[in-house]
Amino acid sequence: MARSDGFKGLAKLGFAARGTIYLLLGFFTLLLVLGERAPEADQRGAMQEVARHNGGFLLLWVIAIGFVGYALWRFSEVAFGVVGKGDKARDVGPRLQSLIRGVIYAGLAFSAFNLLAHARSKSQASQQQLLTTKVMQHSAGRWLVGIAGLVVIGVGLGLIYEGVARKFKDHFALSDMPTASRRIVWFLGTFGITARGVVFSLVGYFLIQAALDYDPKKARGLDGALRRTVAESDTGRLLVGVCAIGLIAFGLYAYAEAAWRRTE
């Protein structure tokens, strides 16, 4: 089943769904930098904004199904080996990464179906603060939150390395890609993945601050981390502005993945 055309098509729909969400995230972040009123700049906020517009209900159904497809494809990598890793396809590290990504996008799919069912849910930032508060009530809570922050920063640095070193090129079926498209996709991937890594690092930084100051309110989700960075200084505003354009670039890159990424 994992090698069937239908399953591969579902995975590609997942990449396109991810691209749509990141395009919206980049646009919302750009509004934030420009001082305009912006929806919540995280995945759940993007889906809520989609649901508010005409035709958004249908688009959100497509996004939800796409996230299910993406999650199932990642779980298939856990079972059968990670695509594009060659001899390391069945190593524990790559399969663990696919498992985590699968769980994350299964959660996003659940959130999308909740919105479709008109279920009320708290914002992503509020949920993170609530979870951090509960964790900090335990004796080792501050350590756990701090470690979580370090892990998120580690993920961010890994993404920055992947973008700068262009490791993502291994994921593409080069024989299927028009030569003229490659340079554009390589640029979008380099810029977009690096910007995504910077944003992850910001979220991890605020988690560590929350642990050090024993203040759950400093545990910012994606939206909170971007808003606080913009508010702190002109340099922070500039950094978030570059990241906003980078998130848009990543969204476009995800569409290229939907077209040409190897799925087996």
Side-chain angles (χ1 to χ4, degrees):
M1 184 185 75
R3 294 186 179 130
S4 68
D5 290 340
F7 191 82
K8 288 186 285 187
L10 199 58
K12 289 181 178 293
L13 179 63
F15 284 112
R18 185 168 72 154
T20 302
I21 291 300
Y22 271 94
L23 283 175
L24 290 171
L25 284 181
F27 177 66
F28 296 162
T29 305
L30 203 55
L31 289 177
L32 186 65
V33 171
L34 295 174
E36 302 291 335
R37 184 177 179 182
E40 190 171 340
D42 56 31
Q43 290 92 338
R44 187 173 288 104
M47 290 188 290
Q48 287 173 336
E49 191 65 17
V50 167
R52 290 191 186 104
H53 290 80
N54 292 333
F57 188 79
L58 177 59
L59 177 57
L60 190 56
W61 263 107
V62 175
I63 289 172
I65 294 169
F67 283 162
V68 169
Y70 185 89
L72 289 175
W73 178 69
R74 286 299 187 183
F75 292 145
S76 76
E77 288 191 317
V78 177
F80 307 117
V82 179
V83 177
K85 290 296 183 180
D87 295 337
K88 297 181 179 180
R90 293 183 177 271
D91 287 358
V92 174
R95 294 169 91 169
L96 181 60
Q97 290 178 2
S98 289
L99 176 62
I100 293 170
R101 287 167 176 164
V103 170
I104 289 171
Y105 277 86
L108 289 174
F110 179 77
S111 293
F113 285 120
N114 262 350
L115 286 172
L116 288 167
H118 304 289
R120 297 180 64 184
S121 61
K122 294 182 179 180
S123 69
Q124 196 163 310
S126 298
Q127 287 185 336
Q128 181 162 330
Q129 287 186 13
L130 180 61
L131 177 61
T132 305
T133 301
K134 289 183 177 180
V135 171
M136 282 189 174
Q137 290 173 352
H138 298 279
S139 57
R142 291 177 70 182
W143 285 100
L144 291 174
V145 172
I147 291 170
L150 288 173
V151 170
V152 174
I153 288 177
V155 171
L157 293 176
L159 288 170
I160 291 171
Y161 172 71
E162 180 183 352
V164 172
R166 294 188 168 182
K167 293 291 185 181
F168 58 86
K169 291 168 67 174
D170 297 336
H171 299 316
F172 285 86
L174 297 180
S175 59
D176 296 336
M177 293 181 68
T179 304
S181 300
R182 293 180 190 177
R183 288 186 180 180
I184 298 173
V185 174
W186 300 162
F187 170 76
L188 291 173
T190 301
F191 185 24
I193 293 173
T194 302
R196 191 166 169 244
V198 172
V199 170
F200 269 72
S201 299
L202 287 173
V203 174
Y205 167 75
F206 287 117
L207 275 173
I208 292 174
Q209 268 204 335
L212 292 175
D213 298 339
Y214 204 75
D215 185 359
K217 292 182 179 179
K218 291 186 177 180
R220 306 281 177 154
L222 177 57
D223 177 75
L226 293 172
R227 289 180 189 273
R228 184 167 176 182
T229 305
V230 166
E232 284 187 342
S233 67
D234 290 338
T235 303
R237 181 179 294 272
L238 178 61
L239 173 63
V240 174
V242 173
C243 286
I245 299 171
L247 291 175
I248 292 171
F250 183 79
L252 296 173
Y253 165 78
Y255 285 129
E257 286 188 301
W260 298 303
R261 178 160 175 152
R262 294 162 55 195
T263 53
E264 65 172 349

